Amino acid sequence: MKPHKPTTTCTAYHSLTSYSRQDMSGHYLDWENQPNVYKSYPDLSQILLPREVSLPEAKLSSLIHALPRTATPAAGICLEDLSLILLLTYSITARTHHGLHDFFYRNVASAGALYPTELYVAIRNVKSLDDGLYHFSISDHGLSMLRKGNLSGMLSGSPGESSEGFPSLAFFLTAIFFRSSWKYRDRAYRYHLLDTGHLLENLTLALKSLKYPYHCSFDFDDTHVNRFLGLDSEMEACLAVCTAPGPDLAEKSGNVVIPDLPESFKKRSRVAENEVRYPAVLEIHRSGEKVLTSGNSGTNMPCPQIKNTPGNRTEIAKKGTWPERYNYGEAILKRRSKRNFVKKEMDADHLIALADGLYPGIPEKSRDFARDHSSICTGFICGNVSGMDAGIYLIDPQSGNFGIVKEGLFLDEMAAVCLNQAWLSNAAVHFLFLANLSAIEETWGARGYRYAMAHAGRMGERLYLMATAMELGCCGIGAFYDQEAAECIGLDAETSLLYLVGVGPVKS
């Protein structure tokens, strides 16, 4: 890892935390100081949520293509619905043994299975639950109340504001920094954001499956929200908010006083005895605290460029149906990182469906939607797909169609770029999430890094679920030699690879 320099911009942080084959130093994990992956409030009573709930039977394809709801269900939100939303979003799905310890699989992807993300929910008018702010415990599938009462004034920023029209559910996704930085050090903020996107995608699909309207945002007052949640912002911070149903909390502002929660609550953000603070993580996070409100959606964001692109591109149209074996409810609970790829040809219909799911063409006109989709560009390396030429392709975000831009065999080279993980060369395709970080910085400042990385995480999680529904293997890769990756793909100097996801047939 390079010597530390101040990292207050997207490009500076990404450059500092880039891996280089020549500069990689030995790093030994301190197993005696391994972070706890479960946050708890032992002094608070816990409300256990019902687990016996019926899973949605909708196909994942129909759910992804469905238009977002705009009206609240007339029946309102009940305890069983909230339990189902949380079960589909963040749950333990299996247990295995690693050495002397049990390991619990979750239904969401996480870099290194370190699970930095925590989930909180502010509740209003949910049947059988008191209004208030709760922390969700994935290990117990339960809620611990942190604040009691109607909190709409605190969240809206206006002390006397009526709660009418205020969201019934406001979800807050946070990252505990040391869980990831224990292994990845200064590079960990990349994974904090990717993992936030993974979980946010699960949450939005869960809300969509229950036909609840929702609004996601990465724009809010960091200090305001972290104080509301009772966090020690040196150790844990909110990275995303999702309200359901209701207005965007980011549009609310004011000088409402938020009472401090007990100091003991802040201490629950500590997950190891001897935590190390990695300066680049805190610097890039703090640099992104300012939300630029210029109204620029980024629709004119320059697309990442691949050098020596052939003059002619053959567009391949997507099809209307997917070869799904499992429905959404089944896929969400079966999702795993599977890397036991086999060199077997993948049917082109699978690839077309995957591209279709990343860009389903749903007309959403919100500023956040336009911004998030314009912050990254998506492509893939095709190596073993029936009827498809080997090479690098880019996906058109408007149509979901894709075309080849660089011919050749690149899977083996990219597997070597990804820290010599040879198994990755057996995947049929490597999906690529790319960004022009200089343009992002110019448009949205350092906070734009959150938009791009988290959105890449959302799309990566969607790939995991689509692959699971079609009985394919899938594994995300955030660790690679950054400059070698750019050279392999043929990226211009302004463009960076943010995330790679391998997909393909696996051993039965």
Side-chain angles (χ1 to χ4, degrees):
M1 190 69 71
K2 304 174 181 66
H4 178 70
K5 297 178 182 179
T7 51
T8 57
T9 67
C10 304
T11 52
Y13 173 79
H14 208 75
S15 175
L16 176 78
T17 60
S18 293
Y19 285 161
S20 169
R21 198 179 295 270
Q22 291 72 34
D23 296 337
M24 293 289 281
S25 59
H27 174 51
Y28 300 96
L29 295 178
D30 182 2
W31 292 103
E32 296 298 321
N33 200 43
Q34 185 177 9
N36 187 349
V37 294
Y38 300 109
K39 185 175 184 180
S40 65
Y41 293 83
D43 296 333
L44 300 180
S45 59
Q46 195 173 76
I47 301 169
L48 297 181
L49 299 172
R51 293 178 182 267
E52 300 302 319
V53 290
S54 299
L55 295 177
E57 296 182 355
K59 287 186 176 181
L60 182 62
S61 56
S62 62
L63 196 60
I64 288 175
H65 284 93
L67 290 171
R69 289 281 178 142
T70 57
T72 306
I77 298 176
C78 64
L79 184 66
E80 289 72 20
D81 283 354
L82 176 60
S83 179
L84 180 56
I85 290 168
L86 292 170
L87 183 75
L88 294 168
T89 300
Y90 209 18
S91 60
I92 292 173
T93 55
R95 181 178 70 177
T96 189
H97 295 285
H98 281 184
L100 300 176
H101 304 284
D102 286 339
F103 177 80
F104 294 89
Y105 292 101
R106 304 188 188 190
N107 67 338
V108 66
S110 176
L114 297 172
Y115 303 110
T117 313
E118 292 290 330
L119 188 59
Y120 302 78
V121 57
I123 290 170
R124 185 184 66 85
N125 292 343
V126 173
K127 298 171 185 177
S128 304
L129 272 182
D130 290 333
D131 289 358
L133 170 68
Y134 296 82
H135 170 261
F136 173 64
S137 168
I138 184 174
S139 59
D140 302 311
H141 195 64
L143 297 172
S144 297
M145 178 181 279
L146 307 181
R147 296 184 186 272
K148 186 174 182 179
N150 186 339
L151 306 175
S152 54
M154 289 188 199
L155 290 174
S156 67
S158 302
E161 183 172 315
S162 168
S163 62
E164 184 177 353
F166 197 79
S168 298
L169 302 172
F171 296 92
F172 302 87
L173 285 67
T174 72
I176 295 181
F177 296 138
F178 186 64
R179 282 193 185 145
S180 298
S181 59
W182 170 73
K183 180 176 182 179
Y184 298 113
R185 298 178 286 179
D186 278 323
R187 193 177 171 104
Y189 196 63
R190 300 189 185 201
Y191 307 119
H192 296 142
L193 294 170
L194 287 173
D195 282 359
T196 297
H198 293 152
L199 190 63
L200 185 61
E201 182 65 15
N202 273 9
L203 174 59
T204 56
L205 287 172
L207 292 167
K208 212 173 183 183
S209 73
L210 270 69
K211 298 182 171 54
Y212 286 127
Y214 59 86
H215 181 92
C216 299
S217 181
F218 300 100
D219 291 342
F220 45 83
D221 185 320
D222 285 17
T223 301
H224 185 97
V225 171
N226 290 333
R227 182 172 184 151
F228 175 72
L229 298 176
L231 307 180
D232 182 333
S233 59
E234 295 279 306
M235 296 190 285
E236 180 181 2
C238 186
L239 296 176
V241 177
C242 181
T243 57
D248 177 9
L249 297 185
E251 296 172 358
K252 307 289 184 177
S253 62
N255 297 313
V256 64
V257 175
I258 298 178
D260 282 328
L261 288 173
E263 191 67 22
S264 61
F265 286 15
K266 290 186 177 181
K267 294 179 180 179
R268 303 315 302 170
S269 295
R270 177 175 290 278
V271 292
E273 185 68 25
N274 299 305
E275 296 193 4
V276 179
R277 306 282 174 87
Y278 288 91
V281 171
L282 293 176
E283 284 173 5
I284 185 60
H285 181 69
R286 289 170 180 158
S287 298
E289 287 181 349
K290 184 177 181 181
V291 178
L292 299 186
T293 55
S294 64
N296 190 341
S297 68
T299 51
N300 297 319
M301 182 75 64
C303 291
Q305 297 297 311
I306 294 180
K307 294 178 288 189
N308 302 322
T309 299
N312 58 329
R313 288 179 53 179
T314 303
E315 300 292 346
I316 301 174
K318 59 187 178 181
K319 296 184 178 180
T321 58
W322 296 3
E324 295 164 276
R325 299 290 184 87
Y326 299 110
N327 64 33
Y328 157 68
E330 294 168 329
I332 196 74
L333 296 183
K334 287 179 177 288
R335 189 223 66 85
R336 296 271 181 85
S337 293
K338 293 183 178 180
R339 59 180 66 183
N340 56 334
F341 296 112
V342 293
K343 281 191 176 294
K344 179 181 177 182
E345 191 175 68
M346 186 171 82
D347 195 277
D349 286 348
H350 289 106
L351 180 56
I352 293 170
L354 293 167
D356 178 30
L358 290 178
Y359 292 103
I362 297 174
E364 267 189 75
K365 298 181 180 180
S366 74
R367 175 174 176 267
D368 286 348
F369 182 87
R371 179 200 62 208
D372 295 344
H373 267 66
S374 60
S375 65
I376 63 173
C377 177
T378 305
F380 57 86
I381 300 174
C382 179
N384 196 6
V385 178
S386 62
M388 297 277 296
D389 292 331
I392 299 174
Y393 293 69
L394 289 180
I395 303 175
D396 177 7
Q398 301 301 319
S399 67
N401 295 336
F402 48 83
I404 192 166
V405 296
K406 187 177 179 182
E407 297 180 353
L409 299 170
F410 298 101
L411 290 183
D412 288 349
E413 182 180 352
M414 186 54 74
V417 167
C418 294
L419 310 192
N420 300 309
Q421 299 186 79
W423 54 266
L424 193 56
S425 64
N426 292 330
V429 62
H430 296 170
F431 280 88
L432 310 169
F433 299 99
L434 314 167
N436 184 321
L437 293 179
S438 296
I440 286 172
E441 182 83 39
E442 184 177 348
T443 306
W444 299 303
R447 201 172 185 101
Y449 196 67
R450 303 189 194 184
Y451 307 154
M453 292 298 293
H455 193 60
R458 287 193 66 178
M459 298 182 85
E461 180 72 6
R462 200 177 305 167
L463 280 175
Y464 270 106
L465 296 175
M466 292 188 290
T468 302
M470 292 185 278
E471 287 193 316
L472 296 171
C474 182
C475 190
I477 302 293
F480 38 78
Y481 300 121
D482 294 73
Q483 184 56 39
E484 289 186 29
E487 292 171 358
C488 173
I489 302 167
L491 301 178
D492 66 359
E494 300 296 317
T495 303
S496 298
L497 174 64
L498 305 183
Y499 193 26
L500 181 148
V501 180
V503 180
V506 290
K507 293 179 183 178
S508 302

